[in-house]
């Protein structure tokens, strides 16, 4: 046996392996093509270079994840700005609430001074809403 014979065997066995992989992929493709006709929904085609599809899928997933993280960062910034606006609005409302309560107390005290006993608008009189009996 010479070295060229041994080299020929190695390349022959390499050809057999690559040929068997090609046959397997071909059988897998034909199976998916036949299954596509049987199954009511469509199956995706088997990619020719599986490694390239995997890399493309990973790049697409990477872009999607980065995009989603950027969207979350933008939403976080918007929520932060909205929270700051609400804090300002809350600070503006505090004095208005106090002023409104003070005004209501003032109106009540002035109304007590102006009302007369027997006034139909006075609910504490006791005669409002009653009819005299005969």
């Amino acid at each position: 046996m010479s070295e060229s014979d041994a080299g020929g065997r190695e390349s022959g066995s390499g050809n057999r392996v690559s040929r068997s992989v090609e046959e397997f992929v071909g059988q897998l493709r034909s199976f998916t093509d036949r299954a596509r006709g049987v199954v009511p929904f469509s199956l995706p085609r088997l990619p020719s270079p599986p490694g390239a599809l995997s890399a493309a899928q990973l790049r697409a997933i990477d872009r999607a994840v980065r995009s989603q993280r950027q969207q979350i960062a933008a939403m976080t910034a918007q929520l932060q700005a909205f929270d700051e606006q609400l804090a300002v609005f809350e600070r503006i409302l505090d004095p208005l609430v106090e002023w409104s309560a003070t005004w209501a107390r003032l109106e009540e005290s002035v109304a007590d001074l102006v009302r007369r006993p027997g006034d139909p608008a006075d609910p504490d009189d006791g005669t409002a809403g009653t009819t005299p009996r005969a």
Side-chain angles (χ1 to χ4, degrees):
M1 223 193 243
S2 69
E3 285 183 36
S4 63
D5 292 336
R9 273 193 217 147
E10 286 180 10
S11 65
S13 93
N15 284 338
R16 272 188 257 141
V17 170
S18 66
R19 204 172 348 150
S20 65
V21 169
E22 289 173 10
E23 288 173 5
F24 173 73
V25 169
Q27 289 173 357
L28 196 55
R29 279 196 183 123
S30 65
F31 171 75
T32 56
D33 290 339
R34 284 189 308 240
R36 190 176 298 145
V38 174
V39 179
F41 57 88
S42 66
L43 295 172
R45 292 189 55 81
L46 186 66
S48 34
L53 178 65
S54 175
Q57 284 178 332
L58 286 175
R59 276 194 299 275
I61 291 170
D62 181 53
R63 282 193 300 265
V65 167
R66 288 178 194 272
S67 172
Q68 289 174 346
R69 293 198 70 227
Q70 288 173 348
Q71 289 174 351
I72 289 172
M75 283 190 277
T76 302
Q78 288 175 345
L79 286 173
Q80 181 67 31
F82 185 60
D83 184 54
E84 291 171 6
Q85 291 171 353
L86 287 176
V88 169
F89 189 56
E90 192 175 29
R91 284 193 301 263
I92 291 170
L93 282 177
D94 284 341
L96 290 175
V97 168
E98 287 181 35
W99 179 82
S100 176
T102 303
W103 186 257
R105 285 193 304 270
L106 178 67
E107 282 181 334
E108 189 176 308
S109 64
V110 169
D112 287 344
L113 292 175
V114 175
R115 277 195 208 118
R116 296 184 188 118
D119 191 1
D122 188 11
D124 295 334
D125 184 21
T127 59
T130 60
T131 55
R133 292 189 180 178

